[in-house]
Amino acid sequence: MCKDTAAQEISLEALGLLQALLHHDYDEAQLRANHMVRCALQHDHLKVADAAEKIEALLSCGCPNSMELRIALRCLTTSVDGMQEAAPPLPGLPS
């Protein structure tokens, strides 16, 4: 999998994570965070992996502390944004 495809997959998992949190499905959110960690590590997106790992740890106990979760989500968002900016544009899409 090339880096731009990995960035796209991680971004989609991040959206799934947010949707699961919106519906208070913490098991699904933890699964999504775990998948983000594995994919990010595989493609050397270490900041994304660290942020997703923090969220996964917060979710491991069930309903997380909302303030800690907000901080971790902000960190994840910043990391995913940085990863997307570093990824080469997909062919056929405007940059």
Side-chain angles (χ1 to χ4, degrees):
M1 181 183 308
C2 61
K3 284 230 184 231
D4 56 337
T5 307
Q8 190 175 33
E9 181 180 352
I10 292 168
S11 296
L12 289 173
E13 286 296 332
L15 289 174
L17 169 68
L18 292 173
Q19 184 176 18
L21 288 172
L22 180 66
H23 294 286
H24 303 282
D25 185 348
Y26 300 120
D27 291 334
E28 177 67 19
Q30 186 178 12
L31 181 72
R32 298 280 185 157
N34 178 271
H35 189 259
M36 288 178 68
V37 170
R38 286 185 284 123
C39 189
L41 286 174
Q42 183 179 4
H43 295 282
D44 296 323
H45 297 299
L46 301 181
K47 289 182 181 182
V48 173
D50 288 344
E53 195 170 53
K54 173 68 175 173
I55 292 170
E56 184 183 14
L58 288 170
L59 294 170
S60 68
C61 301
C63 184
N65 175 297
S66 63
M67 182 59 77
E68 288 180 7
L69 184 58
R70 266 197 300 260
I71 292 167
L73 286 169
R74 211 172 292 133
C75 183
L76 178 66
T77 302
T78 302
S79 300
V80 170
D81 285 347
M83 173 196 66
Q84 288 174 332
E85 289 172 4
L90 293 173
L93 294 178
S95 29

